[in-house]
Amino acid sequence: MAQSAREHAAEEQAAPAGNGGAEAAGPAPRRRRRWPKVVGLVAGVAVLAAAGTAYGLYRHLDSNIHTGVDLGRELGTDRPAKVAAAARDILVLGSDSRAGGNQDLGGGDVGGARSDTAMVVHIPAGGGRATVVSIPRDTLVTRPSCTGRNGAALPAAKRVMFNSVYSLAGPACVVKTVEKMSGVRMDHYVEIDFVGFKDLVDTIGGVTVRTTTAIDDRHSGLHLAPGTHRLDGTQALAFVRTRHGIGDGSDLGRIGLQQQFMTALVAEVKKQDLLGSPVKSYKMADAATKLLTTDSDLGSLTALAEFGRSVKGVDPDTMETLMLPVRYDRIDPNRVVAAEPQASALWKAIREDSPVPESAKHSPAAGGGVSG
């Protein structure tokens, strides 16, 4: 019986029509099998590219960091014992070198490096309220025997200006001097370069500060009327360095500005959520790592990150900023010396990781200031 047209069409659709039909139908399954391989290859290339990019970014940031001192090797065993093992104490210096790019940042070439800013940052065990103790650069101290920058032995000396230790003997001798005067063992050393500091402030778009009196300092180039100001990098650098025309014109008035700015900088980072934005964070990290010189134990991005995680319980909003209690020197009124018994009480509290007594927070030589 002859098939109907509908039945014939159904048979042609259900069964391959000879070799030509098999050749026509064959490529489709092969294309389907090929897609998972193509997708996997593309995904693999993407992963490798991302890993390569991430590694390149890491290497770039890591190479920005300079290692300046091996505390264990250069200071030896003649160091204070660590009383509160879980607490951390870091010596932070601001480098006042006018070499290279620093020459144009207010004051010109002064011929050599100075430790313009010195702070002992105490991070208590378990985080919490950190304490920052600023050491006036004009403080007369006893410098222990060290190796000078020229490699020659530098004998111990009394009544030397604190900031001269850095220029004569470098960071290791500064750490040694601070440990001798305080009895506090420094776990780490961090040095901040002025040019990098300026770039960091510009990267985050400036920092807001408030002053209660005018600042008119031709030496630093800073001119601010009383009130609130948004400072760019150059202005911020002048702000933390200015001292002429404020307070008594000494380093004591400047310390208040430095501490105020540090608090404002931390607040700005939190306000912009810079640590929560990968793009902003990278830009900030790039600027920040360029300005750092650290001890060998902190001399890598990994080490810095691990240290950051270990102190994440510190609340910047509760940070206590103090100045080492000092009095004007009786022989040279342009210099200061540690005031006793306040200074000893302050260092004892830091060593023992205990609250600083109120009596140790007040300095006979205050210097005045303009912070609000």
Side-chain angles (χ1 to χ4, degrees):
M1 181 183 294
Q3 289 178 304
S4 67
R6 181 178 298 176
E7 290 172 337
H8 181 73
E11 288 177 358
E12 286 184 336
Q13 185 175 3
N19 290 339
E23 291 173 0
R30 286 197 295 272
R31 282 197 298 271
R32 285 193 297 269
R33 287 194 299 271
R34 215 177 268 131
W35 274 112
K37 294 181 179 179
V38 173
V39 172
L41 179 61
V42 171
V45 171
V47 169
L48 289 175
T53 301
Y55 180 72
L57 295 178
Y58 171 88
R59 290 291 299 168
H60 174 73
L61 294 177
D62 195 61
S63 66
N64 284 344
I65 305 169
H66 303 284
T67 302
V69 57
D70 184 333
L71 296 181
R73 179 177 61 83
E74 297 191 43
L75 299 187
T77 58
D78 184 21
R79 303 180 63 190
K82 189 69 179 178
V83 178
R88 292 292 180 269
D89 295 286
I90 306 101
L91 178 62
V92 179
L93 293 187
S95 173
D96 194 25
S97 171
R98 302 298 198 279
N102 282 336
Q103 292 185 17
D104 298 327
L105 299 179
D109 188 356
V110 297
R114 297 288 188 275
S115 54
D116 191 61
T117 303
M119 300 179 180
V120 173
V121 180
H122 174 75
I123 300 172
R129 189 181 192 186
T131 301
V132 180
V133 180
S134 293
I135 303 173
R137 58 179 286 176
D138 296 335
T139 306
L140 297 178
V141 299
T142 297
R143 185 193 65 220
S145 58
C146 296
T147 300
R149 285 188 178 272
N150 60 1
L154 194 65
K158 296 181 178 181
R159 292 181 58 82
V160 300
M161 267 182 60
F162 177 74
N163 77 322
S164 71
V165 178
Y166 179 88
S167 59
L168 290 174
C173 193
V174 179
V175 175
K176 191 174 183 180
T177 300
V178 171
E179 289 190 342
K180 290 292 184 182
M181 67 186 288
S182 67
V184 179
R185 186 184 180 102
M186 296 295 114
D187 297 289
H188 296 294
Y189 168 83
V190 175
E191 183 179 324
I192 300 173
D193 175 72
F194 275 156
V195 170
F197 174 85
K198 170 186 174 296
D199 293 342
L200 174 62
V201 174
D202 284 334
T203 296
I204 66 175
V207 174
T208 300
V209 299
R210 187 171 70 90
T211 64
T212 55
T213 60
I215 301 177
D216 188 11
D217 189 346
R218 62 182 180 82
H219 296 274
S220 68
L222 184 66
H223 306 282
L224 297 177
T228 301
H229 304 274
R230 185 76 174 179
L231 305 181
D232 62 20
T234 300
Q235 292 171 317
L237 182 57
F239 187 81
V240 299
R241 288 178 54 198
T242 193
R243 63 172 174 151
H244 300 280
I246 60 171
D248 61 2
S250 73
D251 188 51
L252 305 184
R254 170 167 50 188
I255 285 176
L257 298 181
Q258 292 171 347
Q259 293 179 337
Q260 180 196 2
F261 188 86
M262 180 178 64
T263 303
L265 177 61
V266 172
E268 188 66 38
V269 170
K270 292 183 64 177
K271 176 183 176 182
Q272 295 191 31
D273 191 28
L274 295 176
L275 299 180
S277 168
V279 175
K280 289 182 178 179
S281 293
Y282 177 78
K283 291 179 179 179
M284 185 177 70
D286 188 37
T289 50
K290 286 177 181 177
L291 63 84
L292 294 179
T293 298
T294 72
D295 66 272
S296 56
D297 288 340
L298 283 183
S300 72
L301 195 61
T302 300
L304 283 174
E306 289 177 353
F307 179 75
R309 286 191 293 269
S310 72
V311 298
K312 64 181 181 180
V314 173
D315 183 1
D317 292 335
T318 65
M319 185 181 299
E320 184 173 37
T321 56
L322 306 170
M323 183 178 73
L324 174 69
V326 292
R327 60 172 176 80
Y328 294 109
D329 182 56
R330 294 187 177 91
I331 299 175
D332 184 353
N334 294 317
R335 302 289 179 259
V336 294
V337 294
E340 296 297 351
Q342 298 97 317
S344 292
L346 169 63
W347 293 129
K348 182 176 184 292
I350 298 296
R351 284 195 303 272
E352 298 177 354
D353 195 23
S354 59
V356 178
E358 285 298 321
S359 61
K361 297 180 181 181
H362 305 290
S363 180
V370 295
S371 60

